[in-house]
Amino acid sequence: MVDTEPVDIYTWLCSIPDRDAYGSNTKPFPPIQGSSKRKAPQQEPSPPVSLDDPSEMNEKTPKRRRIDDPNRTPRPADSLSSASSSFAPSESDTPSRSSSPKKQMMSLRLDEGGLECRQLNIDTAPSCVADLLASIREIGNGLEVLPHSFRSTIRESTVIRDKASRVWKYAFKEPDQLDTLPGRIPQPEEVALICEHARQCHDKSHEEASWNMEVHHRLLQAVFRYPASHIADPFNFTTCTTARPHGKFLPYSSTAKMVDFCLYFDDNDKDASLQALSRRTPTLSVNHTDFAPLQLSPIALSIETKRPGKELNTAQLQMGVWHAAQWKFLQSVIGLTSQVSSATEVARRQLAEDALTELGFIPAIIVHGHRWLFVFSTREDKKTVLWTERQIGTTQSILDTYQIVAGLREVAGWARDVYMPWFRSKVLSGFGAPNG
């Protein structure tokens, strides 16, 4: 029997036209002369696939363009780029996010509406902050930290070992000094637990998020909320790590900077003037950020935290830019009314400058591991000046933690007695709010 199958296959192979990967009839390039590389054996051809459809030709290419799935979980870089496109200047016009705090500060120092950091010297500090700074100084030195009525609570506590030592001798106010500050004074057992959480975070090298949850949130809750309750009066606090300042209020040479906590005025009966103001601002809120939980709650104090070992100048940069945006927001809303009018804009701006001069400063707190530091900002022309820093207390002992409690209550007292009356008079008065 004669086998004819090899002849049929050979005939079929000879009938196939020469084609490259894209279906052209051109012959392959001749080998480079002098090449020492051995030519790889050719793969046996198979019946060709139709390449009339250009989409099929693209599928043959080794690299394909990535198609973004709109429903996939966004990566951090995606959220940053999308948010910055709406709220921050162009990246090509601003410093890179990866540039060092030193370079960013140098750039901001040259910006007409930028930021400058200065060391706080109590003897030469701006006069507008003198009263509050004097109280912070005494508290930081352990003087008159607690009301006289709290002395018996300390003496009867079983968690305080050195209550008879000299450090507690000057920790109490005089009997005739009434305690009218906002917030409450937590019991020694609450404070001892906070100190233990802080020690654990430090010894086990916890990240910033753990410090915020285990230590800082507990301490703020112990001061500004009633026990086992979310209710606070008149100030409450919230975490705000995703609250971005609106790009309109940022210095030109800076990207957005966020902080960790905000103390805000918690008015359960929302004044209609707060809503009226929000309708006139780019953030649709009464603040320099469109953070929804604070839409109708004016920010009174901002807190930036860093774990031990992190550079403090990073926190100063964040707080400085945050305050620069807050100052610019306040400047933009002072003198506004529910009626839009461009004819009086020049007069409104002068009114805003006078009002901001009257306010003088905005306080803040930077937390660096155990240490709680008082800082504040002022304005010089269009530039923000951040003054740093004066230690209030630490979470390394019960008395030191009570110093933090006292410092927080003092700043809250300033916000109640100075800032909120100023805010009603200078910002909300054009929307029907009573002065004072």
Side-chain angles (χ1 to χ4, degrees):
M1 181 177 178
V2 180
D3 186 3
T4 59
E5 183 175 327
V7 177
D8 293 339
I9 295 175
Y10 179 78
T11 304
W12 173 74
L13 289 173
C14 292
S15 66
I16 298 175
D18 292 332
R19 291 175 178 264
D20 58 19
Y22 297 98
S24 64
N25 291 325
T26 59
K27 294 183 179 180
F29 293 107
I32 301 174
Q33 296 295 330
S35 175
S36 61
K37 292 185 179 179
R38 180 176 297 178
K39 185 177 180 181
Q42 291 185 341
Q43 183 179 359
E44 291 186 1
S46 59
V49 179
S50 173
L51 295 177
D52 295 334
D53 186 355
S55 63
E56 294 182 7
M57 182 178 69
N58 290 337
E59 291 180 358
K60 292 288 184 178
T61 59
K63 294 183 180 179
R64 288 182 292 178
R65 185 178 63 184
R66 189 188 71 178
I67 300 176
D68 291 329
D69 181 6
N71 296 321
R72 72 185 178 90
T73 303
R75 298 176 181 176
D78 297 333
S79 59
L80 285 173
S81 61
S82 61
S84 61
S85 64
S86 302
F87 298 113
S90 169
E91 288 293 337
S92 61
D93 297 331
T94 56
S96 170
R97 294 178 188 274
S98 61
S99 61
S100 67
K102 176 183 177 181
K103 290 184 177 179
Q104 293 183 60
M105 285 299 304
M106 291 174 66
S107 179
L108 285 164
R109 194 178 297 130
L110 299 176
D111 189 338
E112 182 182 6
L115 169 69
E116 185 173 334
C117 282
R118 295 180 188 170
Q119 180 181 334
L120 173 58
N121 185 329
I122 290 183
D123 298 325
T124 59
S127 59
C128 59
V129 74
D131 292 340
L132 180 58
L133 192 56
S135 298
I136 294 296
R137 182 182 190 180
E138 290 184 352
I139 292 170
N141 291 332
L143 303 175
E144 299 187 351
V145 174
L146 297 167
H148 187 271
S149 60
F150 211 74
R151 184 189 294 266
S152 59
T153 303
I154 297 298
R155 287 178 175 175
E156 296 169 5
S157 174
T158 59
V159 298
I160 301 177
R161 298 178 181 177
D162 59 347
K163 51 194 169 186
S165 65
R166 294 185 62 185
V167 296
W168 286 97
K169 182 177 181 181
Y170 302 103
F172 301 96
K173 298 180 180 180
E174 296 297 325
D176 58 345
Q177 290 182 271
L178 298 178
D179 182 23
T180 60
L181 293 172
R184 69 182 183 93
I185 303 174
Q187 294 297 307
E189 291 73 18
E190 294 179 79
V191 175
L193 182 59
I194 292 170
C195 291
E196 177 59 24
H197 280 293
R199 185 188 68 80
Q200 292 280 345
C201 285
H202 181 275
D203 291 351
K204 296 182 178 181
S205 301
H206 280 226
E207 296 296 329
E208 180 181 311
S210 296
W211 278 88
N212 284 347
M213 180 176 63
E214 299 289 352
V215 183
H216 311 324
H217 189 281
R218 291 177 189 268
L219 182 49
L220 292 169
Q221 186 175 31
V223 177
F224 294 110
R225 293 177 184 167
Y226 297 119
S229 173
H230 69 282
I231 299 175
D233 183 33
F235 293 100
N236 206 336
F237 75 96
T238 183
T239 56
C240 57
T241 54
T242 59
R244 300 175 63 87
H246 193 284
K248 179 179 180 179
F249 307 118
L250 287 171
Y252 178 77
S253 58
S254 175
T255 54
K257 307 294 181 185
M258 283 79 81
V259 295
D260 292 277
F261 296 95
C262 280
L263 188 70
Y264 63 90
F265 183 66
D266 192 17
D267 185 6
N268 294 323
D269 299 325
K270 297 300 182 185
D271 196 311
S273 60
L274 295 171
Q275 299 185 22
L277 170 62
S278 298
R279 296 187 187 102
R280 294 291 311 277
T281 65
T283 58
L284 298 177
S285 79
V286 297
N287 296 301
H288 57 291
T289 173
D290 62 355
F291 188 57
L294 297 176
Q295 182 179 19
L296 300 177
S297 301
I299 295 173
L301 175 69
S302 303
I303 301 174
E304 168 61 20
T305 70
K306 285 286 182 284
R307 64 180 177 86
K310 296 289 285 185
E311 293 184 359
L312 194 58
N313 58 356
T314 303
Q316 295 171 356
L317 173 66
Q318 289 177 241
M319 185 60 71
V321 172
W322 176 268
H323 265 200
Q326 187 173 2
W327 278 111
K328 194 169 182 181
F329 171 81
L330 292 173
Q331 181 190 39
S332 71
V333 296
I334 292 172
L336 284 182
T337 65
S338 56
Q339 302 297 323
V340 179
S341 174
S342 59
T344 59
E345 178 60 19
V346 174
R348 190 204 66 78
R349 290 189 178 186
Q350 184 58 52
L351 180 67
E353 291 298 325
D354 295 341
L356 293 178
T357 301
E358 179 182 333
L359 176 62
F361 72 99
I362 299 176
I365 289 177
I366 293 176
V367 185
H368 192 213
H370 287 289
R371 304 169 62 222
W372 287 59
L373 310 172
F374 174 77
V375 301
F376 64 93
S377 67
T378 58
R379 290 180 79 246
E380 290 185 3
D381 295 326
K382 298 179 181 180
K383 186 171 290 187
T384 299
V385 179
L386 184 71
W387 301 81
T388 63
E389 79 269 343
R390 185 74 186 187
Q391 181 167 301
I392 303 172
T394 78
T395 50
Q396 292 177 286
S397 75
I398 292 178
L399 177 56
D400 290 336
T401 305
Y402 272 127
Q403 292 176 201
I404 300 173
V405 172
L408 288 169
R409 296 182 72 217
E410 281 289 343
V411 177
W414 172 89
R416 178 196 63 190
D417 300 336
V418 178
Y419 183 76
M420 285 311 302
W422 176 90
F423 191 84
R424 293 190 187 97
S425 173
K426 306 301 181 182
V427 177
L428 297 180
S429 58
F431 299 91
N435 292 338

